Amino acid sequence: MIESAYLHIPFCQSICTYCAFERSANLKQIDQWLDVICDEVQNTLKQAKQNDPTFKLKTIYFGGGTPSVLSCAQLERLASLFADVFDPYGEWTIEANPESITLEWLQTARRLMINRISIGIQTFDAKRLQTLNRHHTPLQAKQAVALCRQAGFESISVDLIYGFAKQTMADLNADLDAFLELDIDHLSIYSLILEPDSALGKRGYVPLDEYENALMYEQIDKRLTQSGFEHYEVSSFARNQKYGLHNSLIWDDGQYFGFGFGAIGRDEQGLYHHSGTLKQYIQKQSHLEYEENPNPWFDAIMTGLRTTMGLNVLKWNLRYGFDFKQRYAHVLNQYSECFIEQNDRISLTKQGMEILDTILVEFLMED
Ligand code: SF4
């Protein structure tokens, strides 16, 4: 039974120079897009309720794009479709950019039962925000957090980026200091990786190299863990057990509905998405298509081992019809000091996490 949903809002006020996501800056299309996605959500949820009258969603995630470009009325139209299927004890996250949120918008989201917000701050350095073509100031970022609190959000997450060209350790520490001052319990932090067709990629911008990135990653881990955070996934830190439940379910090989163009969903048959372009989606000319994946069991290993929770071996054996320990005995023996076995799960030690990519390649080679 599917208990999670990801909904993609593919619109942004402006396009960031590093962006490789499905998005459009043509906000005039939003109402037309809403007509289509509302139909899609309604039909799918209706079917789910017919199949199981007790159907509830434990997690919902509105990502993008920039969900905060939706007006209050547009957000209400979309979110109210989930009102009777959202488990009130569940987690409902929405992403937002600092420059486009208002107190009224946040209060609307809270009234609609959205109870977690992820703010795309990226950096507290004004110059680097410009490099990314982000349209908020460091002050606006801090004010956005205060507004979220004022609106009643208790679960707040921040996104940061590191690994900018010429970024020094002092620069990184300044970003981490600014984050820690906000007293927030969740951080997602990513190194700047440029797709060749992103604006920065085309400009020949060169982020920090692998070695310097690794040093920064170590520093982030050190600073955050010293401040009481748990490094519970490669790019995610949480304090006071404020783990991102939606992503944790996905990393635990979970299934989820994927709504809208640019979303990925997953069911018994595998990963699916909408075909074609956003324009075709809006014109109702796209359809769901499944992604070819010859070894989905490896994806489960990859996402599971990225987390401290690890891979549920029993569930994996049942789903994929193999014996994990037998199939991968070679890797498990070769890196025995890197694995922790507890109950039905296998996870990596800190030392194992540091060579995660190497270990994953070993798993792949056994397939
Ligand atoms: S806000 Fe996100 S999706 Fe939109 S352009 Fe920037 S990086 Fe891309």
Side-chain angles (χ1 to χ4, degrees):
M1 189 176 45
I2 299 185
E3 295 178 315
S4 295
Y6 174 79
L7 186 146
H8 191 72
I9 293 154
F11 297 98
C12 299
Q13 200 93 43
S14 54
I15 301 301
C16 305
T17 48
Y18 60 100
C19 184
F21 301 114
E22 297 288 356
R23 77 294 183 254
S24 159
N26 183 357
L27 305 188
K28 287 190 195 132
Q29 290 179 314
I30 293 181
D31 280 319
Q32 226 183 328
W33 165 84
L34 260 179
D35 291 340
V36 183
I37 196 162
C38 285
D39 274 356
E40 183 190 343
V41 171
Q42 264 169 330
N43 292 339
T44 306
L45 296 183
K46 190 174 157 197
Q47 188 65 53
K49 282 186 273 187
Q50 270 169 10
N51 294 345
D52 174 9
T54 65
F55 166 74
K56 289 281 175 211
L57 287 171
K58 266 194 199 155
T59 71
I60 303 175
Y61 196 104
F62 281 9
T66 311
S68 50
V69 298
L70 296 184
S71 67
C72 293
Q74 289 166 336
L75 178 62
E76 177 142 21
R77 185 172 167 207
L78 193 55
S80 57
L81 300 177
F82 294 88
D84 66 330
V85 294
F86 176 58
D87 174 347
Y89 297 103
E91 176 196 274
W92 189 343
T93 305
I94 192 160
E95 291 178 352
N97 279 0
E99 74 281 10
S100 58
I101 55 176
T102 62
L103 185 59
E104 188 198 358
W105 188 85
L106 293 166
Q107 285 169 335
T108 304
R110 283 298 295 124
R111 180 168 52 75
L112 293 163
M113 295 199 290
I114 297 173
N115 53 19
R116 184 170 183 269
I117 189 157
S118 170
I119 313 173
I121 291 179
Q122 316 311 359
T123 171
F124 293 91
D125 180 281
K127 259 200 171 151
R128 293 197 178 92
L129 284 170
Q130 257 177 19
T131 303
L132 298 178
N133 195 31
R134 302 290 290 195
H135 286 222
H136 63 270
T137 62
L139 180 64
Q140 267 177 315
K142 292 174 187 171
Q143 286 168 340
V145 172
L147 278 180
C148 291
R149 290 204 166 107
Q150 196 182 336
F153 278 97
E154 286 174 7
S155 275
I156 302 174
S157 177
V158 158
D159 275 6
L160 289 182
I161 290 177
Y162 68 97
F164 294 90
K166 298 189 186 136
Q167 188 179 18
T168 63
M169 210 49 104
D171 296 332
L172 173 72
N173 279 325
D175 264 354
L176 296 177
D177 287 340
F179 166 75
L180 291 169
E181 266 169 35
L182 293 172
D183 199 22
I184 283 174
D185 287 333
H186 195 278
L187 172 70
S188 298
I189 187 158
Y190 306 95
S191 73
L192 181 61
I193 294 171
L194 295 178
E195 301 293 329
D197 58 351
S198 65
L200 276 185
K202 283 184 194 157
R203 247 188 259 161
Y205 182 94
V206 184
L208 282 191
D209 65 25
E210 218 174 294
Y211 175 69
E212 286 173 298
N213 251 307
L215 293 181
M216 291 211 164
Y217 187 73
E218 268 176 35
Q219 175 72 355
I220 294 163
D221 177 71
K222 191 171 127 202
R223 292 281 319 269
L224 271 287
T225 47
Q226 275 171 356
S227 304
F229 283 82
E230 197 181 322
H231 194 169
Y232 75 103
E233 190 265 346
V234 170
S235 309
S236 312
F237 293 82
R239 203 165 49 179
N240 300 323
Q241 301 194 316
K242 289 276 179 76
Y243 314 109
L245 184 60
H246 180 83
N247 283 340
S248 295
L249 290 174
I250 289 173
W251 295 325
D252 200 23
D253 206 17
Q255 296 181 357
Y256 45 98
F257 295 109
F259 292 118
F261 181 76
I264 289 179
R266 182 162 184 244
D267 61 17
E268 278 304 319
Q269 287 182 70
L271 293 171
Y272 63 83
H273 61 260
H274 280 276
S275 65
T277 61
L278 177 60
K279 192 172 166 199
Q280 285 170 323
Y281 176 78
I282 290 174
Q283 292 171 345
K284 297 194 176 186
Q285 284 170 356
S286 85
H287 57 271
L288 289 183
E289 60 185 16
Y290 282 88
E291 298 184 358
E292 295 224 354
N293 187 358
N295 46 2
W297 52 87
F298 174 72
D299 285 1
I301 295 171
M302 187 169 61
T303 52
L305 291 185
R306 284 173 64 95
T307 67
T308 49
M309 200 168 55
L311 176 76
N312 185 328
V313 173
L314 205 64
K315 192 169 106 182
W316 188 92
N317 288 350
L318 283 172
R319 174 169 287 174
Y320 300 108
F322 304 122
D323 183 319
F324 181 83
K325 286 190 189 166
Q326 210 173 29
R327 187 175 174 90
Y328 298 111
H330 175 69
V331 188
L332 296 173
N333 286 333
Q334 192 183 346
Y335 292 94
S336 58
E337 75 286 2
C338 293
F339 290 103
I340 305 167
E341 210 181 320
Q342 213 168 22
N343 303 323
D344 297 329
R345 292 185 174 270
I346 285 184
S347 57
L348 289 175
T349 59
K350 207 169 176 73
Q351 182 194 0
M353 276 289 186
E354 282 164 19
I355 53 164
L356 172 67
D357 289 345
T358 309
I359 292 178
L360 288 177
V361 170
E362 296 285 344
F363 275 106
L364 199 55
M365 277 165 41
E366 296 293 306
D367 277 338

